[in-house]
Amino acid sequence: MKVYLAETNTHLIQAKQIHQRATVFDGHCDTILEIMNHKRSLGSRAPTGHLDILRMKEGGVDIQFFAVFIEDIYKPNRSLKRTLQLSDCFYKEIEKNQDDISLVTNYNQIKKVNRAGKIAAILSIEGGEALEGDLGVLRVLYRLGVRLLTLTWNQRNQIADGIGESRTGSGLTEFGLKVIDEMNRLGMLIDVSHLSETGFWDVVKRSKTPIVASHSNCYALCPHLRNLKDEQIKALADKGGVIGITFVPNFLTQEKRRTTVEDVVKHIDYLVEKVGVDYIGLGSDFDGTDNLPLDLESVDKIPNITIELVKRGYKEKDIRKILGGNFLRVFKEVVS
Ligand SMILES: [Zn+2]
């Protein structure tokens, strides 16, 4: 027992140090919508919800993608206006908290902001219906700071079918192909989470740059439509992309039980076994889900992933890749 306790303490100390040295990069949260709808603020510790600045600091998060999520009632014809309203909400929050967090649009800004001890925030859009079928809108959204576009949510839009369109499951439209080309040209991350499988393969074929799945898990461990099959995982790795492991319980296991941080790390283990350590990141989906695993209930609990990785014998350099190094590599390559 004594030996076990001593070992556990060593793990904890080691994990704490590694976590502090690491750049922690989360590929997806839906906090903007939470703030917009529930009048929460990024700047104060919320009794509800999963993410605010104080808890991000406790969790050691350095870089965060903030997604604009367009609710069904605004689709399809009011998607762009809703995108702009949510973006406005995001900008206001960043301005209010400028001592702690800054909007970044390129790699050098991330480095600069992190060196100043602040969190780097990147704007993303979850659902290409925001473009309302217009490439010019994509270019303007880029100018507004958007650096990642999740091509679809679960439904069909002008770009492709989402994963929920199981009857058709169509791939990229002609417009969708143009979106890929323009995102490649501008330097934007193409996100295939929520996209139909046919769409996924179209993107793999068309995109000249690495692609990301900002919040998806492994189908082999949890056969949910939102998760990636082995061939998809391999293709994404072959392109040099990254998969943000998500904490959403339904995507972790189909067993009817409370999930834990170990379930998250099981998906990481699986990816390591399939394609190695270079294509794995975090994609929490904080504030985008009602339930979260035990010991990962909010962003301040992220160090528990590091503890679990240390317990499983992961080396520091690999842990640092998983916590953020890989996402940062892809961001640098695609967005620059
Ligand atoms: Zn999502």
Side-chain angles (χ1 to χ4, degrees), residues 28 30 69 126 153 194 215 226 285:
H28 190 83
D30 284 320
F69 177 81
E126 185 169 19
W153 195 60
H194 288 282
H215 56 304
R226 276 274 288 103
D285 212 358

Side-chain angles (χ1 to χ4, degrees), residues 2 16 18 23 26 28 35-36 76 96 121 124 141 199 225 228 239 247 267 270 280-281 292 297-298 315 320 326:
K2 254 184 197 161
K16 203 177 163 190
I18 292 173
T23 297
D26 180 17
H28 190 83
I35 290 171
M36 183 96 174
K96 268 193 270 178
S124 61
L141 291 172
L225 278 175
L228 298 167
K239 270 189 105 66
F247 310 163
H267 282 263
Y270 185 82
I280 309 163
L292 281 162
E297 296 90 345
S298 47
K315 295 194 181 73
R320 288 170 71 155
N326 291 329

Side-chain angles (χ1 to χ4, degrees), residues 170-204:
S170 300
L172 291 176
T173 60
E174 292 299 324
F175 174 68
L177 291 173
K178 286 182 191 148
V179 168
I180 300 299
D181 294 346
E182 192 62 358
M183 287 179 75
N184 279 172
R185 191 186 72 79
L186 289 165
M188 287 178 85
L189 286 168
I190 298 164
D191 180 12
V192 296
S193 282
H194 288 282
L195 184 62
S196 71
E197 215 179 312
T198 324
F200 172 92
W201 290 109
D202 283 347
V203 174
V204 166

